Amino acid sequence: QDTQEKETVSPERAEEAKLKAKYPNLGQKPGGSDFLMKRLQKGQKYFDSGDYNMAKAKMKNKQLPSVGPDKNLVTGDHIPTPQDLPQRKSSLVASKLAG
Amino acid sequence: DIISTVEFNYSGDLLATGDKGGRVVIFQREQENKSRPHSRGEYNVYSTFQSHEPEFDYLKSLEIEEKINKIRWLPQQNAAHFLLSTNDKTIKLWKISERDKRAEGYNLKDEDGRLRDPFRITALRVPILKPMDLMVEASPRRIFANAHTYHINSISVNSDHETYLSADDLRINLWHLEITDRSFNIVDIKPANMEELTEVITAAEFHPHHCNVFVYSSSKGTIRLCDMRSSALCDRHSKFFEEPEDPSSRSFFSEIISSISDVKFSHSGRYMMTRDYLSVKVWDLNMENRPVETYQVHEYLRSKLCSLYENDCIFDKFECCWNGSDSAIMTGSYNNFFRMFDRNTRRDITLEASRESSKPRAILKPRKVCTGGKRKKDEISVDSLDFNKKILHTAWHPMENIIAVAATNNLYIFQDKIN
């Protein structure tokens, strides 16, 4: 009996293998508390209320310096007003693939 | 702006949409008009208002999105219409009323509002009501704030028409529509130690007839039914619905794709429907160990889970809905496709909501996704699907075969062919 046994890999398992090959540091349990904690935070944008209010006050006198090319950088004069805040990504923060 | 929720009211005459910019747009169905027979059934804009604005949580230095997560109508009790709309943190009760009359002939002021000189008034008159152009006003009647630490995902009006629930990732609160400074916590799954967190609440809904019963779904694919008569805090469920999993087929993706994104009771109250990433399941409330029906929405995506995880699409939250008689169910998919399943005949159909494929009053052509091998004409291959065109929100008229489908920032309304 020399029949070759073909291993039937489910499509899900095949996809899992692909993912693990790309990101070897991926944690074993996707449902772990770290994963869910990130989900709870949903990629929220932080802002500094002090800087925001100072910027609002300054705007009355002069035009605020426009936001630099990196809209995610939030410091001092470059604090955006609510209108300028960039679109938020609703998914998890990028580190999910780093494990 | 991107539409984030769609909901018909109890009569189906009004259709509300909420969007990412915090706006609510309400459409009204045109009345039958003999001179324009085709306009019957058309929905036109009735009212538009800004429901929520972006807010800042100064204590946590966080921004609170103005995106409307859910809208739920209240049953109509008088001439005005009421709805609840919610963003991540605050629920608002809005009153939408019509004004088509205006009083004229005041004694103390002119028509333009200026006060008249009292010494000039020599005679008294009774103001009379004159018709005016219809004005639809929306005013916030109640603001239910500060009750949720986490993001609100669901609101559900109770059948008692006095209370409603709001659910976030870890807690469910019960409110009275008249009372805004207090809400009662009925479910709390937050562990004492957050490191022990294993699942979150994904959706919740009250039973359509039994005002003491509600269900909530979890990220682990389970549904818990709770009875508020049994205890004040419903941390212990009355029923626990879970389909047993085959341990040999478990993979990294199993839990993620089992996460339930929506749960809806049937109109009859006998069944409930859950939507997970790849399927829709119908459960009999009397049977907890498995669903009575399972419908595959886009099984061909199972072999694409790796890339869907990388581009985050695997976390998309699709909604589902019943038709008025509970004989059919509908849910969305990618590429602006949406799926409808007939529970009696077991037939299913895939349709597309896009400008290119539908002209007004044209009949929709069924679509088909080709999963392997040779692609037939008119079929579309899995790799050509546009995963940015997702239909997450759909609604079905409570009585007629009219459906509303939100495709990103466009709203489509389809109805059965009229002869």
Side-chain angles (χ1 to χ4, degrees):
Chain A
Q1 291 206 329
D2 228 13
T3 47
Q4 268 195 1
E5 275 190 338
K6 250 209 183 132
E7 244 189 57
T8 43
V9 184
S10 78
E12 245 179 82
R13 283 281 174 83
E15 290 295 298
E16 183 177 4
K18 249 197 256 176
L19 194 67
K20 292 252 164 84
K22 273 192 182 182
Y23 308 99
N25 294 327
L26 205 52
Q28 277 308 305
K29 238 175 85 71
S33 67
D34 283 343
F35 181 86
L36 286 173
M37 292 282 275
K38 284 175 202 164
R39 186 181 169 147
L40 291 180
Q41 282 165 26
K42 218 170 91 173
Q44 284 171 322
K45 268 278 174 301
Y46 286 88
F47 90 113
D48 186 307
S49 61
D51 284 340
Y52 167 67
N53 281 308
M54 281 192 56
K56 240 176 41 171
K58 262 197 207 161
M59 262 163 82
K60 288 187 190 156
N61 303 329
K62 67 167 201 246
Q63 187 75 332
L64 207 62
S66 60
V67 177
D70 184 356
K71 280 202 164 179
N72 290 320
L73 192 62
V74 159
T75 52
D77 280 351
H78 295 290
I79 287 288
T81 57
Q83 291 79 18
D84 297 334
L85 283 166
Q87 292 294 318
R88 289 156 297 272
K89 200 157 114 79
S90 63
S91 65
L92 302 179
V93 293
S95 55
K96 71 166 194 258
L97 290 169
Chain B
D1 222 337
I2 298 174
I3 299 170
S4 49
T5 184
V6 186
E7 187 83 353
F8 279 101
N9 73 338
Y10 283 77
S11 66
D13 278 344
L14 295 179
L15 174 68
T17 61
D19 68 22
K20 201 156 177 263
R23 254 189 328 266
V24 171
V25 180
I26 301 177
F27 298 85
Q28 185 186 45
R29 194 174 185 192
E30 287 304 311
Q31 292 306 305
E32 205 165 297
N33 187 336
K34 290 194 174 63
S35 62
R36 293 178 60 220
H38 287 304
S39 73
R40 163 83 170 131
E42 260 180 31
Y43 282 81
N44 297 315
V45 178
Y46 177 67
S47 171
T48 304
F49 57 93
Q50 188 74 31
S51 172
H52 287 71
E53 297 273 4
E55 279 174 60
F56 295 91
D57 180 339
Y58 287 91
L59 196 61
K60 295 181 190 164
S61 291
L62 290 175
E63 190 206 336
I64 300 168
E65 273 190 295
E66 67 275 31
K67 172 168 79 92
I68 308 293
N69 292 335
K70 285 283 177 340
I71 288 174
R72 289 289 182 263
W73 290 93
L74 265 58
Q76 195 176 7
Q77 287 171 326
N78 52 37
H81 297 279
F82 289 86
L83 60 78
L84 287 171
S85 73
T86 186
N87 68 349
D88 281 341
K89 297 286 184 184
T90 304
I91 306 131
K92 296 188 182 181
L93 175 70
W94 287 89
K95 176 181 179 182
I96 296 107
S97 47
E98 292 183 3
R99 198 201 285 249
D100 61 356
K101 286 188 263 292
R102 168 185 72 216
E104 270 180 18
Y106 286 102
N107 289 292
L108 296 178
K109 56 180 182 181
D110 280 340
E111 290 317 312
D112 51 8
R114 280 184 310 185
L115 291 173
R116 290 170 78 194
D117 183 357
F119 292 106
R120 296 263 165 95
I121 299 170
T122 52
L124 283 179
R125 55 189 178 172
V126 178
I128 48 169
L129 291 176
K130 285 248 175 88
M132 63 180 249
D133 284 341
L134 181 67
M135 207 167 70
V136 182
E137 304 170 314
S139 56
R141 304 304 276 180
R142 306 266 188 279
I143 303 204
F144 304 92
N146 304 320
H148 286 279
T149 309
Y150 301 98
H151 296 120
I152 297 174
N153 53 54
S154 314
I155 46 174
S156 178
V157 181
N158 206 349
S159 52
D160 64 9
H161 302 165
E162 285 188 341
T163 57
Y164 74 94
L165 63 74
S166 58
D168 67 31
D169 290 315
L170 297 178
R171 299 193 177 100
I172 302 178
N173 293 330
L174 179 71
W175 301 83
H176 191 283
L177 285 164
E178 300 286 325
I179 299 167
T180 58
D181 63 353
R182 229 172 310 179
S183 88
F184 195 77
N185 178 244
I186 49 177
V187 172
D188 188 338
I189 64 167
K190 185 173 181 211
N193 181 358
M194 281 297 266
E195 304 263 305
E196 292 162 26
L197 182 67
T198 55
E199 64 185 325
V200 294
I201 297 170
T202 52
E205 194 179 52
F206 265 120
H207 191 278
H209 313 309
H210 304 302
C211 56
N212 53 299
V213 172
F214 66 92
V215 291
Y216 68 92
S217 57
S218 86
S219 53
K220 275 184 153 176
T222 64
I223 309 100
R224 288 171 177 81
L225 183 143
C226 301
D227 185 337
M228 296 194 291
R229 293 173 306 188
S230 59
S231 70
L233 190 57
C234 298
D235 279 358
R236 296 229 311 262
H237 51 263
S238 299
K239 292 196 185 188
F240 182 73
F241 298 83
E242 185 178 32
E243 182 166 27
E245 191 202 9
D246 176 10
S248 65
S249 69
R250 190 163 179 82
S251 78
F252 175 84
F253 303 109
S254 299
E255 193 173 304
I256 302 174
I257 61 173
S258 73
S259 175
I260 292 171
S261 49
D262 194 14
V263 64
K264 293 262 169 52
F265 277 104
S266 64
H267 292 90
S268 64
R270 166 107 192 264
Y271 299 95
M272 67 178 175
M273 161 168 61
T274 57
R275 174 71 155 100
D276 51 73
Y277 191 61
L278 298 178
S279 67
V280 181
K281 296 179 180 172
V282 175
W283 302 78
D284 183 327
L285 292 185
N286 298 317
M287 189 161 76
E288 300 168 54
N289 59 0
R290 60 180 169 83
V292 287
E293 294 153 35
T294 302
Y295 300 93
Q296 301 302 333
V297 181
H298 37 217
E299 179 67 15
Y300 46 79
L301 294 183
R302 202 180 285 270
S303 50
K304 299 284 167 202
L305 291 177
C306 178
S307 47
L308 291 169
Y309 181 84
E310 289 179 286
N311 63 18
D312 278 350
C313 284
I314 205 174
F315 302 105
D316 285 335
K317 298 187 174 67
F318 291 94
E319 290 172 12
C320 52
C321 59
W322 300 85
N323 70 341
S325 60
D326 298 335
S327 64
I329 58 186
M330 170 169 65
T331 190
S333 178
Y334 295 103
N335 209 70
N336 281 344
F337 287 171
F338 59 99
R339 303 263 286 140
M340 291 161 87
F341 302 93
D342 184 319
R343 292 177 65 212
N344 300 322
T345 64
R346 290 304 169 128
R347 284 211 315 252
D348 63 272
I349 190 168
T350 305
L351 298 169
E352 183 177 354
S354 72
R355 274 187 229 269
E356 297 83 41
S357 68
S358 48
K359 294 196 176 84
R361 276 179 254 300
I363 295 177
L364 286 178
K365 207 175 59 165
R367 312 288 287 153
K368 194 154 159 58
V369 177
C370 156
T371 50
K374 285 214 173 93
R375 186 176 75 88
K376 299 200 190 88
K377 187 173 91 101
D378 280 354
E379 281 186 358
I380 181 163
S381 79
V382 183
D383 296 310
S384 314
L385 294 174
D386 188 342
F387 290 98
N388 291 318
K389 294 187 181 164
K390 32 194 123 183
I391 292 183
L392 304 172
H393 313 287
T394 59
W396 206 312
H397 190 287
M399 284 159 299
E400 300 186 32
N401 277 343
I402 301 173
I403 58 174
V405 175
T408 319
N409 45 10
N410 293 312
L411 179 73
Y412 291 83
I413 299 176
F414 301 109
Q415 54 188 2
D416 254 358
K417 193 169 76 141
I418 317 164
N419 290 322

